[in-house]
Amino acid sequence: MHTETTDNLEMIAKTAREFAEKKIRPHIMDWDESQTFPVELFHELGEMGFMGIVIPEKYGGSGLGYHEYVTILDEISQVDPSIGLSVAAHNSLCTNHIYEFGNEEQRQRWLPQLASGKTIGAWGLTEHNTGSDSGGMSTTAVKDGDSWIISGAKNFITHAISGDIAVVMTRTGEKGAKNNSTAFVLEKGMEGFTSGKKENKLGMRASETAELIFDNVRVPDSHRLGEVGSGFKQAMKILDGGRISIAALSLGIARGAYLAALKYSLERHQFGKAINEFQAVNFMLADMATEIDASELLIRRASTLKNNGVKMTREGAMAKLYASEACVRISNNAVQIFGGYGYTKDFPVEKFYRDSKLCTIGEGTSEIQRLVIGRDISK
């Protein structure tokens, strides 16, 4: 069910904004400096319907479309991008992968808990030696009777420690071969399934990032998602939607940094007038506003295609590429407008600046987006 009307989007934006102001803003710097992942907050987000946004109501989700999803991520990320990142990873990666490729029994088993926020999801593709080259991963799954034995490790995994359920891509064929990957759902508590090093990051510090470790984990075949060998194709399809997520996250960062800079430029006076009246500052703000609108238009186009079930690989990559690079520029300019104050933690723009860089790396670097776009336009 897709219900994106202007009134509906405004209502959803207002709800998300009020939640973020009340539940998130008071804790931003405490969570950032201590690298605290606020698990209880995500249970509350589940109660708001924000942990299963695009999942149908029959599985406990909100039954909304990608325009609503973008709106929610935008509003949350204007306040704290770390929380926006975790909402995005839970929704678009783990939860959506089970919805898109799980059978009915698997959907009924895992989606209601994920969509309600009672359980938190992780998604494992990246490894220590395979980032963009995910086809060469080392984590293996070997068939053993009615089970599979999974061995290896994943890194840079959101919710690797606090997550209850993880969708994990494994290699079930030769390295480098086509159709050599298979996806499985793993549950915390399985023997040999543990978490490893937590990363000490530049930004997005309240969004937990760590290793997943598999030491001969026995996983029932009933936990396999789709056909053997289809895991890589599944992952690429999931990343198409994931690019909308990171683009929306980027949009929220850009808008948050811009609004803070605009407000400051109207309040800060030099040489007897607001710095907004100086052309150098005013032109920077004009460029920022333009890039935000351009980002949102690209994101909304990709969202419409996604809602309509139309292939949107190129459009998603364009939205992610442009919005992510724009948010780095915009947050950088926001710090510049704040001057020395922008370099301190007493003002919000230094955190937007630190958080922004992840958007050009996560779920496919800018270089990979250009590769995807280049291949598509050259067909």
Side-chain angles (χ1 to χ4, degrees), residues 322-344:
Y322 186 85
S324 65
E325 297 205 335
C327 87
V328 174
R329 290 191 294 269
I330 289 166
S331 59
N332 177 54
N333 284 338
V335 172
Q336 195 72 17
I337 289 169
F338 269 79
Y341 291 113
Y343 204 66
T344 72

Side-chain angles (χ1 to χ4, degrees), residues 15 21 41 54 56 95 103 116 141 169 172 283 285 308 311 340 365:
T15 301
E21 290 292 337
L41 175 74
V54 299
T95 305
N103 58 37
S116 68
M169 265 51 67
T172 48
F283 276 16
L285 290 163
N308 292 333
K311 185 176 181 289
T365 62

Side-chain angles (χ1 to χ4, degrees), residues 245-259:
S245 295
I246 300 301
L249 171 63
S250 303
L251 178 65
I253 293 172
R255 208 189 303 273
Y258 162 73
L259 291 173

